[in-house]
Coordinates of all heavy atoms in Angstrom, one line a residue:
M5 N -13.7 -2.3 -16.9 CA -14.1 -3.6 -17.1 C -13.1 -4.3 -18.0 O -12.9 -5.5 -17.9 CB -15.5 -3.6 -17.7 CG -16.6 -3.3 -16.7 SD -18.3 -3.0 -17.3 CE -18.5 -4.2 -18.5
S6 N -12.6 -3.6 -19.0 CA -11.6 -4.2 -19.9 C -10.3 -4.5 -19.3 O -9.5 -5.2 -20.0 CB -11.5 -3.3 -21.1 OG -10.8 -2.1 -20.8
M7 N -10.0 -4.2 -18.1 CA -8.7 -4.5 -17.4 C -8.8 -5.8 -16.7 O -7.8 -6.2 -16.1 CB -8.4 -3.3 -16.5 CG -8.1 -2.0 -17.3 SD -7.7 -0.7 -16.2 CE -6.1 -1.2 -15.5
R8 N -9.9 -6.5 -16.7 CA -10.0 -7.8 -16.0 C -9.8 -7.7 -14.5 O -9.3 -8.7 -13.9 CB -9.0 -8.8 -16.6 CG -9.3 -9.2 -18.0 CD -8.4 -10.3 -18.5 NE -8.9 -10.9 -19.8 CZ -8.6 -10.4 -21.0 NH1 -7.8 -9.4 -21.1 NH2 -9.0 -11.0 -22.0
I9 N -10.1 -6.6 -13.9 CA -10.0 -6.4 -12.5 C -11.3 -6.3 -11.8 O -12.1 -5.5 -12.2 CB -9.2 -5.2 -12.2 CG1 -7.8 -5.2 -12.8 CG2 -9.1 -4.9 -10.7 CD1 -7.0 -3.9 -12.7
P10 N -11.6 -7.3 -10.9 CA -12.9 -7.2 -10.2 C -13.0 -5.8 -9.4 O -12.0 -5.4 -8.8 CB -12.9 -8.3 -9.2 CG -11.9 -9.2 -9.7 CD -10.9 -8.4 -10.4
S11 N -14.2 -5.2 -9.4 CA -14.3 -4.0 -8.7 C -15.7 -3.9 -8.0 O -16.6 -4.6 -8.4 CB -14.1 -2.8 -9.6 OG -15.0 -2.8 -10.7
V12 N -15.8 -3.0 -7.1 CA -17.0 -2.8 -6.3 C -17.3 -1.3 -6.6 O -16.5 -0.4 -6.4 CB -16.8 -3.0 -4.8 CG1 -18.1 -2.7 -4.1 CG2 -16.4 -4.4 -4.5
V13 N -18.5 -1.0 -7.1 CA -18.9 0.3 -7.5 C -20.2 0.7 -6.8 O -21.0 -0.1 -6.4 CB -19.0 0.5 -9.0 CG1 -17.7 0.1 -9.7 CG2 -20.1 -0.5 -9.5
S14 N -20.5 2.0 -6.8 CA -21.8 2.5 -6.3 C -22.9 2.2 -7.3 O -22.6 2.2 -8.5 CB -21.7 4.0 -6.1 OG -20.7 4.4 -5.1
D15 N -24.1 2.0 -6.8 CA -25.2 1.6 -7.8 C -25.9 2.9 -8.1 O -27.1 3.1 -7.9 CB -26.1 0.6 -7.2 CG -26.7 1.0 -5.9 OD1 -26.3 2.0 -5.3 OD2 -27.7 0.3 -5.5
I16 N -25.2 3.9 -8.7 CA -25.8 5.1 -9.2 C -25.4 5.4 -10.6 O -24.5 4.8 -11.2 CB -25.2 6.3 -8.3 CG1 -23.7 6.4 -8.4 CG2 -25.7 6.1 -6.8 CD1 -23.1 7.7 -7.7
G17 N -26.1 6.4 -11.2 CA -25.8 6.8 -12.5 C -25.7 5.7 -13.6 O -26.5 4.8 -13.6
E18 N -24.7 5.9 -14.5 CA -24.6 4.9 -15.6 C -24.2 3.5 -15.1 O -24.4 2.6 -15.8 CB -23.5 5.4 -16.5 CG -24.0 6.6 -17.3 CD -25.1 6.3 -18.2 OE1 -25.1 5.3 -19.0 OE2 -26.1 7.0 -18.2
N19 N -23.6 3.4 -13.9 CA -23.3 2.1 -13.4 C -24.5 1.1 -13.5 O -24.3 0.0 -13.7 CB -22.8 2.2 -12.0 CG -21.4 2.8 -11.9 OD1 -20.7 3.0 -12.9 ND2 -21.0 3.2 -10.7
K20 N -25.7 1.7 -13.2 CA -26.9 0.8 -13.2 C -27.1 0.2 -14.6 O -27.7 -0.8 -14.7 CB -28.1 1.6 -12.8 CG -28.1 2.1 -11.4 CD -29.3 2.9 -11.1 CE -29.3 3.4 -9.7 NZ -30.6 4.1 -9.4
Y21 N -26.6 0.8 -15.6 CA -26.9 0.4 -17.0 C -25.8 -0.4 -17.6 O -26.0 -1.2 -18.5 CB -27.2 1.6 -17.9 CG -28.3 2.4 -17.4 CD1 -28.0 3.7 -16.8 CD2 -29.6 2.0 -17.4 CE1 -29.1 4.5 -16.3 CE2 -30.7 2.8 -16.9 CZ -30.4 4.0 -16.3 OH -31.4 4.8 -15.8
I22 N -24.6 -0.2 -17.1 CA -23.5 -0.9 -17.8 C -22.9 -2.1 -16.9 O -22.0 -2.8 -17.4 CB -22.3 0.1 -18.2 CG1 -21.7 0.7 -16.9 CG2 -22.8 1.1 -19.1 CD1 -20.4 1.5 -17.2
I23 N -23.4 -2.2 -15.7 CA -22.8 -3.2 -14.8 C -23.9 -4.3 -14.5 O -25.0 -3.9 -14.1 CB -22.2 -2.6 -13.6 CG1 -20.9 -1.8 -14.0 CG2 -21.8 -3.6 -12.6 CD1 -20.3 -1.1 -12.9
D24 N -23.5 -5.5 -14.6 CA -24.4 -6.6 -14.2 C -23.9 -7.1 -12.8 O -22.8 -7.8 -12.7 CB -24.3 -7.7 -15.2 CG -25.2 -8.9 -14.9 OD1 -26.1 -8.7 -14.0 OD2 -25.1 -9.9 -15.5
D25 N -24.5 -6.7 -11.8 CA -24.1 -7.0 -10.4 C -23.8 -8.4 -10.2 O -24.7 -9.3 -10.4 CB -25.2 -6.5 -9.4 CG -24.7 -6.6 -8.0 OD1 -23.5 -6.4 -7.7 OD2 -25.6 -6.9 -7.1
G26 N -22.6 -8.7 -9.8 CA -22.2 -10.1 -9.5 C -21.7 -10.9 -10.7 O -21.1 -11.9 -10.6
S27 N -21.9 -10.3 -11.9 CA -21.5 -11.0 -13.1 C -20.1 -10.4 -13.6 O -19.2 -11.1 -13.8 CB -22.5 -10.9 -14.2 OG -22.0 -11.4 -15.4
D28 N -20.1 -9.1 -13.7 CA -18.9 -8.5 -14.2 C -18.3 -7.4 -13.2 O -17.2 -7.0 -13.4 CB -19.0 -7.9 -15.6 CG -20.2 -7.0 -15.8 OD1 -20.6 -6.3 -14.8 OD2 -20.7 -6.8 -16.9
R29 N -19.1 -7.1 -12.2 CA -18.7 -6.2 -11.2 C -19.7 -6.3 -10.0 O -20.7 -7.0 -10.2 CB -18.7 -4.7 -11.6 CG -17.7 -4.4 -12.8 CD -16.3 -4.6 -12.3 NE -15.3 -4.3 -13.3 CZ -14.7 -5.3 -14.1 NH1 -15.0 -6.5 -13.9 NH2 -13.9 -5.0 -15.0
F30 N -19.4 -5.6 -8.9 CA -20.3 -5.7 -7.8 C -20.8 -4.3 -7.4 O -20.1 -3.3 -7.4 CB -19.6 -6.3 -6.6 CG -19.3 -7.7 -6.8 CD1 -18.0 -8.1 -7.1 CD2 -20.2 -8.7 -6.6 CE1 -17.7 -9.4 -7.3 CE2 -19.9 -10.1 -6.7 CZ -18.6 -10.4 -7.1
F31 N -22.1 -4.2 -7.1 CA -22.7 -3.0 -6.6 C -22.6 -2.9 -5.1 O -22.7 -4.0 -4.4 CB -24.2 -2.9 -6.9 CG -24.5 -2.5 -8.4 CD1 -25.4 -3.1 -9.1 CD2 -23.8 -1.4 -9.0 CE1 -25.7 -2.8 -10.4 CE2 -24.0 -1.1 -10.3 CZ -25.0 -1.7 -11.0
A32 N -22.4 -1.8 -4.5 CA -22.5 -1.6 -3.1 C -23.2 -0.3 -2.8 O -22.8 0.8 -3.2 CB -21.1 -1.5 -2.5
S33 N -24.4 -0.4 -2.1 CA -25.2 0.8 -1.8 C -24.8 1.5 -0.5 O -25.3 2.6 -0.3 CB -26.7 0.4 -1.7 OG -26.8 -0.7 -0.8
N34 N -23.9 0.9 0.3 CA -23.5 1.6 1.5 C -22.1 1.0 2.0 O -21.6 0.1 1.3 CB -24.6 1.4 2.6 CG -24.9 0.0 2.9 OD1 -24.0 -0.9 3.0 ND2 -26.2 -0.3 3.1
E35 N -21.6 1.5 3.0 CA -20.3 1.1 3.4 C -20.2 -0.4 3.8 O -19.3 -1.1 3.6 CB -19.8 2.0 4.6 CG -19.4 3.4 4.2 CD -18.9 4.2 5.4 OE1 -18.4 3.6 6.4 OE2 -19.0 5.4 5.3
E36 N -21.3 -0.8 4.5 CA -21.4 -2.2 4.9 C -21.3 -3.2 3.7 O -20.6 -4.2 3.7 CB -22.6 -2.5 5.8 CG -22.7 -3.9 6.3 CD -24.0 -4.1 7.1 OE1 -24.2 -3.3 8.0 OE2 -24.8 -5.0 6.7
K37 N -22.1 -2.8 2.7 CA -22.2 -3.7 1.5 C -20.9 -3.6 0.8 O -20.4 -4.6 0.2 CB -23.3 -3.2 0.6 CG -24.7 -3.5 1.1 CD -25.0 -5.0 1.0 CE -26.4 -5.3 1.4 NZ -26.6 -6.7 1.5
C38 N -20.2 -2.4 0.7 CA -18.9 -2.3 0.1 C -17.9 -3.2 0.7 O -17.2 -3.9 0.0 CB -18.5 -0.8 0.2 SG -17.0 -0.5 -0.7
A39 N -17.8 -3.2 2.1 CA -16.9 -4.0 2.8 C -17.2 -5.5 2.5 O -16.3 -6.3 2.3 CB -16.9 -3.7 4.3
E40 N -18.5 -5.9 2.5 CA -18.9 -7.3 2.3 C -18.4 -7.7 0.9 O -17.8 -8.8 0.7 CB -20.4 -7.4 2.4 CG -21.0 -8.7 2.1 CD -22.5 -8.6 2.1 OE1 -23.1 -8.1 3.0 OE2 -23.1 -9.1 1.1
K41 N -18.7 -6.9 -0.1 CA -18.4 -7.3 -1.5 C -16.9 -7.3 -1.7 O -16.3 -8.1 -2.4 CB -19.0 -6.3 -2.5 CG -20.6 -6.2 -2.4 CD -21.2 -7.4 -3.1 CE -22.7 -7.3 -2.9 NZ -23.5 -6.9 -4.1
M42 N -16.2 -6.3 -1.2 CA -14.7 -6.3 -1.3 C -14.1 -7.5 -0.7 O -13.1 -8.1 -1.2 CB -14.1 -5.0 -0.8 CG -14.5 -3.8 -1.6 SD -13.8 -2.2 -0.9 CE -12.1 -2.4 -1.3
T43 N -14.6 -7.9 0.5 CA -14.1 -9.1 1.2 C -14.3 -10.3 0.3 O -13.4 -11.1 0.2 CB -14.7 -9.2 2.6 OG1 -14.5 -8.1 3.3 CG2 -14.2 -10.5 3.3
R44 N -15.4 -10.4 -0.3 CA -15.7 -11.5 -1.2 C -14.7 -11.6 -2.3 O -14.2 -12.6 -2.6 CB -17.1 -11.4 -1.7 CG -17.5 -12.6 -2.6 CD -19.0 -12.5 -3.0 NE -19.2 -13.5 -3.9 CZ -20.2 -13.5 -4.8 NH1 -21.1 -12.5 -4.7 NH2 -20.4 -14.5 -5.6
V45 N -14.5 -10.4 -2.9 CA -13.6 -10.4 -4.1 C -12.1 -10.8 -3.6 O -11.5 -11.5 -4.3 CB -13.6 -9.0 -4.7 CG1 -12.4 -8.8 -5.7 CG2 -14.9 -8.8 -5.4
I46 N -11.7 -10.3 -2.5 CA -10.4 -10.5 -2.0 C -10.2 -12.0 -1.6 O -9.1 -12.6 -1.9 CB -10.0 -9.6 -0.8 CG1 -9.9 -8.1 -1.3 CG2 -8.8 -10.0 -0.1 CD1 -9.9 -7.1 -0.2
L47 N -11.1 -12.6 -1.0 CA -11.0 -13.9 -0.5 C -11.3 -15.0 -1.5 O -10.8 -16.1 -1.3 CB -11.9 -14.1 0.8 CG -11.5 -13.2 2.0 CD1 -12.5 -13.5 3.1 CD2 -10.1 -13.5 2.5
D48 N -12.0 -14.7 -2.5 CA -12.4 -15.8 -3.4 C -11.5 -15.6 -4.7 O -11.9 -14.9 -5.6 CB -13.9 -15.7 -3.8 CG -14.4 -16.9 -4.6 OD1 -13.5 -17.6 -5.2 OD2 -15.6 -17.1 -4.7
D49 N -10.4 -16.3 -4.8 CA -9.5 -16.2 -5.9 C -10.2 -16.7 -7.2 O -9.7 -16.2 -8.3 CB -8.3 -17.1 -5.7 CG -7.4 -16.5 -4.6 OD1 -7.5 -15.3 -4.3 OD2 -6.6 -17.3 -4.1
S50 N -11.2 -17.5 -7.2 CA -11.8 -17.9 -8.4 C -12.7 -16.9 -9.1 O -13.0 -17.0 -10.3 CB -12.7 -19.1 -8.1 OG -13.8 -18.8 -7.4
L51 N -13.0 -15.8 -8.3 CA -13.8 -14.7 -9.0 C -13.0 -13.9 -9.9 O -13.6 -13.4 -10.9 CB -14.4 -13.8 -7.9 CG -15.5 -14.3 -7.0 CD1 -15.9 -13.3 -6.0 CD2 -16.7 -14.6 -7.9
T52 N -11.8 -13.6 -9.7 CA -11.0 -12.7 -10.5 C -11.0 -13.1 -12.0 O -11.4 -12.3 -12.9 CB -9.6 -12.5 -10.0 OG1 -9.7 -12.0 -8.7 CG2 -8.7 -11.6 -10.9
P53 N -10.6 -14.3 -12.4 CA -10.6 -14.7 -13.8 C -12.0 -14.7 -14.4 O -12.2 -14.2 -15.5 CB -10.0 -16.1 -13.9 CG -9.7 -16.5 -12.5 CD -10.1 -15.4 -11.5
K54 N -13.0 -15.2 -13.7 CA -14.4 -15.2 -14.2 C -14.9 -13.8 -14.4 O -15.4 -13.5 -15.5 CB -15.3 -15.9 -13.2 CG -15.1 -17.4 -13.0 CD -16.0 -17.9 -12.0 CE -15.6 -19.3 -11.5 NZ -16.4 -19.8 -10.4
I55 N -14.8 -13.0 -13.4 CA -15.4 -11.6 -13.5 C -14.6 -10.8 -14.6 O -15.1 -10.1 -15.4 CB -15.3 -10.9 -12.2 CG1 -16.4 -11.5 -11.3 CG2 -15.6 -9.4 -12.3 CD1 -16.4 -11.0 -9.9
G56 N -13.3 -11.0 -14.6 CA -12.4 -10.3 -15.5 C -12.8 -10.6 -16.9 O -12.9 -9.7 -17.8
E57 N -12.9 -11.9 -17.2 CA -13.3 -12.3 -18.6 C -14.7 -11.8 -19.0 O -14.9 -11.3 -20.1 CB -13.2 -13.8 -18.8 CG -13.2 -14.2 -20.2 CD -12.1 -13.6 -21.1 OE1 -11.0 -13.4 -20.6 OE2 -12.4 -13.3 -22.2
R58 N -15.6 -11.9 -18.1 CA -17.0 -11.3 -18.4 C -16.9 -9.8 -18.6 O -17.6 -9.3 -19.5 CB -17.9 -11.7 -17.3 CG -18.4 -13.2 -17.4 CD -19.5 -13.4 -16.4 NE -19.1 -13.3 -15.0 CZ -19.0 -14.3 -14.2 NH1 -19.4 -15.5 -14.6 NH2 -18.6 -14.1 -13.0
G59 N -16.1 -9.1 -17.9 CA -16.0 -7.7 -18.1 C -15.5 -7.3 -19.4 O -15.9 -6.4 -20.1
V60 N -14.4 -8.1 -19.9 CA -13.9 -7.8 -21.2 C -14.9 -8.1 -22.3 O -15.1 -7.3 -23.2 CB -12.6 -8.7 -21.4 CG1 -12.1 -8.7 -22.8 CG2 -11.5 -8.2 -20.5
L61 N -15.6 -9.2 -22.2 CA -16.6 -9.6 -23.2 C -17.7 -8.5 -23.2 O -18.1 -8.1 -24.3 CB -17.2 -10.9 -22.9 CG -16.2 -12.1 -23.1 CD1 -16.8 -13.4 -22.6 CD2 -15.7 -12.2 -24.5
E62 N -18.1 -8.1 -22.0 CA -19.2 -7.1 -22.0 C -18.7 -5.7 -22.6 O -19.5 -5.1 -23.3 CB -19.6 -6.9 -20.5 CG -20.9 -6.0 -20.4 CD -22.1 -6.7 -20.9 OE1 -22.1 -7.9 -21.3 OE2 -23.2 -6.0 -20.9
T63 N -17.5 -5.4 -22.3 CA -17.0 -4.1 -22.9 C -16.9 -4.2 -24.4 O -17.3 -3.3 -25.1 CB -15.6 -3.9 -22.3 OG1 -15.6 -3.7 -20.9 CG2 -15.0 -2.6 -22.9
R64 N -16.4 -5.3 -24.9 CA -16.4 -5.5 -26.3 C -17.8 -5.5 -27.0 O -18.0 -4.9 -28.1 CB -15.6 -6.8 -26.7 CG -14.2 -6.7 -26.4 CD -13.5 -8.0 -26.8 NE -12.1 -7.9 -26.5 CZ -11.3 -8.9 -26.2 NH1 -11.8 -10.2 -26.3 NH2 -10.0 -8.8 -25.9
R65 N -18.7 -6.2 -26.3 CA -20.1 -6.3 -26.9 C -20.8 -5.0 -26.9 O -21.5 -4.7 -27.8 CB -20.8 -7.3 -26.0 CG -22.2 -7.7 -26.6 CD -22.8 -8.9 -25.8 NE -23.3 -8.5 -24.5 CZ -24.5 -7.9 -24.3 NH1 -25.3 -7.7 -25.3 NH2 -24.9 -7.6 -23.1
K66 N -20.6 -4.1 -25.9 CA -21.5 -3.0 -25.7 C -20.8 -1.6 -25.9 O -21.4 -0.6 -26.3 CB -22.1 -2.9 -24.4 CG -23.2 -3.9 -24.2 CD -23.8 -3.7 -22.8 CE -25.0 -4.7 -22.5 NZ -25.5 -4.5 -21.2
H67 N -19.5 -1.6 -25.6 CA -18.8 -0.3 -25.5 C -17.6 0.0 -26.3 O -17.0 1.0 -26.2 CB -18.4 -0.1 -24.0 CG -19.5 -0.3 -23.0 ND1 -20.6 0.5 -22.9 CD2 -19.7 -1.3 -22.2 CE1 -21.5 0.0 -22.0 NE2 -20.9 -1.1 -21.6
C68 N -17.2 -1.0 -27.2 CA -16.1 -0.7 -28.0 C -16.4 0.2 -29.2 O -17.6 0.5 -29.5 CB -15.5 -2.0 -28.6 SG -16.5 -2.8 -29.8
V69 N -15.4 0.8 -29.8 CA -15.6 1.8 -30.8 C -16.3 1.2 -32.0 O -17.2 1.9 -32.5 CB -14.2 2.3 -31.3 CG1 -14.4 3.2 -32.5 CG2 -13.5 3.1 -30.2
E70 N -16.1 0.0 -32.4 CA -16.8 -0.6 -33.5 C -18.2 -0.8 -33.2 O -19.1 -0.5 -34.1 CB -16.1 -2.0 -33.8 CG -14.7 -2.0 -34.4 CD -13.7 -1.9 -33.3 OE1 -14.0 -1.9 -32.1 OE2 -12.5 -1.7 -33.6
T71 N -18.6 -1.2 -32.1 CA -20.0 -1.4 -31.7 C -20.7 0.0 -31.7 O -21.8 0.1 -32.2 CB -20.1 -2.1 -30.3 OG1 -19.5 -3.4 -30.4 CG2 -21.6 -2.2 -29.9
L72 N -20.1 0.9 -31.0 CA -20.7 2.3 -31.0 C -20.8 2.9 -32.3 O -21.8 3.6 -32.6 CB -19.9 3.1 -30.0 CG -19.9 2.7 -28.5 CD1 -19.0 3.5 -27.7 CD2 -21.3 2.7 -28.0
A73 N -19.8 2.7 -33.2 CA -19.9 3.2 -34.6 C -21.1 2.6 -35.3 O -21.8 3.4 -36.0 CB -18.6 2.9 -35.3
K74 N -21.3 1.3 -35.2 CA -22.5 0.7 -35.9 C -23.8 1.3 -35.4 O -24.7 1.5 -36.2 CB -22.4 -0.8 -35.6 CG -21.3 -1.5 -36.4 CD -21.3 -3.0 -36.0 CE -20.1 -3.7 -36.6 NZ -20.0 -5.1 -36.2
I75 N -23.9 1.5 -34.1 CA -25.1 2.1 -33.5 C -25.3 3.5 -34.0 O -26.4 3.9 -34.5 CB -25.1 2.1 -32.0 CG1 -25.1 0.6 -31.4 CG2 -26.2 2.9 -31.4 CD1 -24.8 0.5 -30.0
Y76 N -24.2 4.3 -34.0 CA -24.3 5.6 -34.5 C -24.7 5.7 -36.0 O -25.6 6.5 -36.4 CB -22.9 6.3 -34.4 CG -22.8 7.7 -34.9 CD1 -23.4 8.8 -34.2 CD2 -22.3 8.0 -36.1 CE1 -23.3 10.0 -34.7 CE2 -22.2 9.3 -36.6 CZ -22.7 10.3 -35.9 OH -22.7 11.6 -36.4
V77 N -24.1 4.8 -36.8 CA -24.4 4.8 -38.3 C -25.9 4.4 -38.5 O -26.6 5.0 -39.2 CB -23.5 3.9 -39.1 CG1 -24.0 3.6 -40.4 CG2 -22.1 4.5 -39.1
S78 N -26.3 3.4 -37.7 CA -27.7 2.9 -37.8 C -28.7 4.0 -37.5 O -29.7 4.2 -38.2 CB -27.9 1.7 -37.0 OG -29.2 1.3 -36.9
R79 N -28.5 4.7 -36.4 CA -29.4 5.7 -35.9 C -29.4 6.9 -36.8 O -30.4 7.5 -37.1 CB -29.1 6.1 -34.5 CG -29.4 5.0 -33.5 CD -29.2 5.3 -32.1 NE -29.6 4.2 -31.2 CZ -29.3 4.1 -30.0 NH1 -28.7 5.1 -29.3 NH2 -29.7 3.1 -29.3
T80 N -28.2 7.2 -37.4 CA -28.1 8.4 -38.3 C -28.9 8.0 -39.5 O -29.6 8.9 -40.1 CB -26.6 8.7 -38.6 OG1 -25.9 9.0 -37.4 CG2 -26.5 9.9 -39.5
Q81 N -28.7 6.8 -40.1 CA -29.4 6.4 -41.3 C -31.0 6.5 -41.1 O -31.7 7.0 -41.9 CB -29.0 5.0 -41.7 CG -27.6 5.0 -42.3 CD -27.2 3.6 -42.7 OE1 -27.7 2.6 -42.1 NE2 -26.3 3.5 -43.6
S82 N -31.4 6.1 -39.9 CA -32.8 6.1 -39.6 C -33.4 7.5 -39.6 O -34.5 7.8 -40.0 CB -33.2 5.3 -38.4 OG -32.7 5.9 -37.2
V83 N -32.6 8.4 -39.1 CA -33.0 9.8 -39.0 C -33.1 10.4 -40.4 O -34.0 11.2 -40.7 CB -32.1 10.6 -38.1 CG1 -32.3 12.1 -38.2 CG2 -32.2 10.2 -36.6
L84 N -32.1 10.1 -41.2 CA -32.0 10.6 -42.5 C -33.1 10.1 -43.5 O -33.5 10.8 -44.4 CB -30.6 10.4 -43.2 CG -29.5 11.1 -42.5 CD1 -28.1 10.6 -43.1 CD2 -29.6 12.6 -42.6
E85 N -33.6 8.9 -43.2 CA -34.7 8.3 -44.0 C -36.0 9.0 -43.7 O -36.8 9.3 -44.2 CB -34.7 6.8 -43.7 CG -33.5 6.1 -44.2 CD -33.5 4.6 -43.8 OE1 -34.4 4.2 -43.0 OE2 -32.6 3.9 -44.3

């Protein structure tokens, strides 16, 4: 997501929790959906910058080292109390 490249991914595992379908990436549950979503990404040039920027913002908001460190410290403090 932080590379600003639109992608199509399977809607399994962690993808369900870290990806907002159509906002920062696209889910595809089968080959037909995969082809449909990939065609959309390829043909619509306006999607790349929009999706790319949202992906970067989402990565920074939820998955960067600073954010994860704050969560870790907060949870560790609550356990120690």
Side-chain angles (χ1 to χ4, degrees):
M5 288 170 40
S6 64
M7 293 179 65
R8 291 183 166 91
I9 300 171
S11 58
V12 178
V13 300
S14 298
D15 60 347
I16 59 171
E18 288 298 307
N19 290 345
K20 292 180 181 181
Y21 305 106
I22 65 171
I23 292 177
D24 183 13
D25 186 36
S27 176
D28 52 27
R29 298 293 179 261
F30 293 99
F31 283 136
S33 54
N34 57 44
E35 287 181 25
E36 181 180 306
K37 290 288 184 187
C38 183
E40 175 187 314
K41 302 279 177 105
M42 288 178 75
T43 300
R44 181 175 173 202
V45 169
I46 291 167
L47 295 178
D48 189 346
D49 291 338
S50 70
L51 284 178
T52 300
K54 291 177 195 173
I55 290 175
E57 193 56 37
R58 283 190 291 246
V60 169
L61 294 173
E62 189 68 8
T63 299
R64 288 180 183 155
R65 190 173 72 85
K66 289 184 177 177
H67 309 290
C68 72
V69 172
E70 292 83 4
T71 300
L72 296 175
K74 288 176 187 175
I75 293 168
Y76 178 79
V77 168
S78 172
R79 290 185 181 168
T80 301
Q81 285 176 336
S82 69
V83 168
L84 295 174
E85 293 172 351

